[in-house]
Amino acid sequence: MVHYWLIVIAAVVVLALLVQLLVQYNLIEKKSKIIVGAMLLIFALGIGIFTLFQEKANGELTELAKLFLQGKKLVCVVGTETLEVDSNTFNFISGTLTLMGKEESGYFRTTIPLKACELKK
């Protein structure tokens, strides 16, 4: 998470320097500089909040993938159907974070997004 904040800080610094150059060459007024600065701050906060939520969602999906690969059963909702999946009937596709039915199972060519699953209780 630290690297995301570093990127946000670097972007704000670069944009602040750009605004300073625009003010120095009288392309924008000093009042506009304050408005642009406030907008940049709001933009940076928005990026930070978005990143925080993305990391939380990615952490949950990573945990589900680990549990599936350890042989635990997951309960997945596909449309109106609820399926109980495990590594015996489905393969985990890491590139797309999906579960795909194995050939020898009754779920061949069935694709389930991992975000539609949760750990069986």
Side-chain angles (χ1 to χ4, degrees):
M1 180 148 139
V2 173
H3 63 284
Y4 290 115
W5 286 109
L6 291 175
I7 291 171
V8 170
I9 291 169
V12 169
V13 168
V14 168
L15 291 174
L17 290 174
L18 178 65
V19 169
Q20 288 292 332
L21 285 172
L22 292 174
V23 168
Q24 185 177 359
Y25 291 110
N26 295 325
L27 296 175
I28 62 172
E29 298 176 11
K30 292 193 185 242
K31 287 182 182 179
S32 298
K33 176 182 167 184
I34 293 171
I35 293 171
V36 170
M39 288 173 37
L40 289 175
L41 183 61
I42 291 169
F43 181 71
L45 288 173
I47 290 173
I49 291 169
F50 174 77
T51 302
L52 192 65
F53 285 117
Q54 280 298 112
E55 281 205 6
K56 181 181 177 199
N58 287 343
E60 291 171 357
L61 288 177
T62 301
E63 189 61 31
L64 275 177
K66 285 180 189 176
L67 291 170
F68 177 80
L69 292 172
Q70 290 172 0
K72 306 278 192 223
K73 291 191 178 198
L74 302 178
V75 176
C76 303
V77 178
V78 181
T80 59
E81 192 176 358
T82 302
L83 299 175
E84 194 173 292
V85 302
D86 59 19
S87 56
N88 295 328
T89 55
F90 283 84
N91 288 320
F92 175 66
I93 312 299
S94 62
T96 56
L97 295 178
T98 56
L99 304 172
M100 181 155 306
K102 291 184 176 180
E103 255 185 77
E104 61 273 359
S105 74
Y107 300 109
F108 182 57
R109 295 193 182 177
T110 301
T111 304
I112 303 170
L114 193 59
K115 64 183 176 183
C117 302
E118 61 183 30
L119 182 63
K120 182 181 176 186
K121 297 176 182 176

